[in-house]
Amino acid sequence: MEKLQRYMTKIKGLLEMTFFKVLLFVMLGFVMYFSMFSNVKPEKLDLSLFSVAEQTIRSPITIEDKASTEKKKKDAADLVKDVYVVKREIAQNRVDLITSIFGTATEVNDAIKEEMEAKEKLSQQSEEEEDQTTFVEPEPSEKLSRMKEKLTEDVTKDISDQTLLALVQASRSELSLAKDVTVTAINNVMSNRIPADEVENAKKRLEEELRFTSLNTNLKAAAIELGRYAVYQNEFYDPNATEEHRQQAIESVEPVKILQGQIIVEEQQLISSDVYRQLELIGMLDSVNSNQPFIGLALIILVILSALYYYFYELKVQSEIKQSYLLLFSIIFALSILLMKGISFFHEFKYSEISYIFPAAMGAMLIKILIDERMAVLFTIIMGICGSIIFNEGITGTFHVSAGIYIICSGVAGILFLTKQNQRSKILQAGTFVAGVNIIVIFSLMLLRNGQYEGIEYGFYVVLGLISGITSAVLTIGLLPFFEAGFGILSTMRLIELSSPNHPLLRKILTEAPGTYHHSVMVANLSESACEAIGANGLLARVGCYYHDIGKTKRPQFFIENQMNIENPHDRLPPQTSKNIIIAHAIDGAEMLRKHKMPKEIIDIAEQHHGTTLLKFFYHKANQNGLEVREEDYRYPGPKAQTKETAVIGIADSVEAAVRSMTHPTPEQIEGLVRKIIADRLQDGQLNECDLTLKELETVANALCETLNGIFHSRIEYPEMTKQKVKQA
């Protein structure tokens, strides 16, 4: 173990250099990358077009099939029919045209009638009877000419002379009737859609409607011709509306996706060109060599390592402790990853859900005990991510989400159970607790899948969960001593071992300096309660107190607590000699503890619990003897207290000795003494190098007073004791 510890010390020394620290993270990255490389490597199949598949192939990813999507969009666009719109204004325009033709005929007839009436009136006014002539109605050809003059060339070209002649020869009432029935027929026909290929049918419908009117033969024929002339196509193709409808149809098409787990080809099924294209698309053919999964793996590892580096960079502990934590975490992390990878090989034997047997709580509990809870939680999250990739055999995706959830829940369960129960016996209990949580998580995952499981499968998974929890506890207990010894870590379990009365050094104090042993126990009680009140390590304070005066065993009779029924030797010694003997107990104690390979924290307590305080009694005695002395010569060499625990122990040590010297101390006297000692320590600068706050010092004072009042409470004198005192008097 000593050789291992020396080796670890050398490595921690190297980690002081940034280069080796970065190198350690790079090594962790390589371990992670090569452990998960095969799990992200795309599966390649030796398949050829129009061959027969030897196995059922499922898609490992969800990806859009763009070719199928484009085909589906094209089909949707092709299904959209051309859009035709009806132009209602055409019907009105044609009606207006026919109405104007009838109106023109009426105007021509009215003009001719007016001319004849005017001429007849002029002839009646003539004086010469012989000159009177009879005016007759103009010839039809003249009327037709007048009619054509008032119409446009297009109309006269498309409408026959017979029709125009019939109009100018009809009476006003006949024209009005003909106009009304013609316009009505036109409106009836053109109120419906009339595409280009239906114009002739529409004209025939109009002709049938006008054939049964009461018009005379000539006028009816004219009305029919005018109506046929008026009927026109009113439905036309709209390219803009058609394109808009097609675009809407294209946009409504959902992308065609090959879903993760979707069967691409069944066993013994022919690999058609479409199937072959899909296999190529999902990257399962030898001809496709994608580096994307490897880049993705490298990026996620980079994120994990960056988080770890930042955590350790921001960790507010001494540099030496930080290097120990970093190296310790790296070893546990690499060990867990390799163990996880080894278990994943059992997938080759078709053991489904083999991830449930992985002792997920082992690393979390080790880091919780050896480092801290926050680091253990971060470790558990990283293990969950890595586990979801390493245990992805047998699933169609890259991440086995169930395995990741299981690992995180199992690790967190171990951390929570060990929050304030870090004894070795509690680790096994934590393993049992983790096993129970594992079983509950496994059942929840199985039920969430809504699958059909047989009883033997449930039993199999229960066994896996139990093995995982118990194995986590066993491995934690087995590995803990190696880490503690190799890194010199003072864990809770190590402290409990050191607190055993059977420890050689404690037996030495008990047998050689029983007064000191009793004093140490009293100081331990005071220190533990005070440290726990401010959130410091109470167990470390208690065990440190047991050993803090081990140096007194060299000369036990020179310390007042061991001077039972003997003369005080300091009465015969000069102050300088007495001072050297008293001061030496701190130095001698630290040396003895180093010789017995005690943890550094215990050695520091023995060396620092007096700080650089002044031996006031011997200093004043030397001054009274007329000696020229310096105050520095009568102070402990230090160093001053560096931690909260050491500072509290120093205060409790002074308080216990002072209260012990008092006769029947009252609570008020105890409180005044405690606060005076704390004030003296503050004024003397003994607390300048630890991080105790004034608020915490107030809490320490209250805790010390409460404990001392419990020890020195007033006792009731029983009658027998009173009678005995009277007799003695």
Side-chain angles (χ1 to χ4, degrees), residues 515-545:
T516 298
Y517 181 83
H518 180 265
H519 162 72
S520 298
V521 172
M522 295 293 290
V523 175
N525 292 333
L526 294 171
S527 301
E528 183 178 37
S529 62
C531 284
E532 288 182 349
I534 62 173
N537 191 336
L539 182 58
L540 173 61
R542 170 173 286 279
V543 178
C545 288

Side-chain angles (χ1 to χ4, degrees), residues 189-225:
V189 172
M190 294 195 69
S191 63
N192 300 316
R193 288 177 174 269
I194 304 176
D197 56 351
E198 288 291 328
V199 174
E200 186 60 33
N201 291 332
K203 290 181 177 182
K204 288 181 179 179
R205 288 196 301 273
L206 179 136
E207 186 176 343
E208 290 295 326
E209 186 173 341
L210 292 176
R211 183 166 286 124
F212 298 101
T213 59
S214 59
L215 299 175
N216 60 55
T217 303
N218 292 335
L219 197 55
K220 182 185 296 185
I224 290 174
E225 184 177 352

Side-chain angles (χ1 to χ4, degrees), residues 300-320:
I300 196 169
I301 290 174
L302 180 62
V303 170
I304 291 172
L305 294 179
S306 299
L308 290 175
Y309 188 88
Y310 178 78
Y311 180 89
F312 282 105
Y313 180 79
E314 293 292 327
L315 194 61
K316 304 300 182 183
V317 295
Q318 296 178 5
S319 178
E320 182 180 354

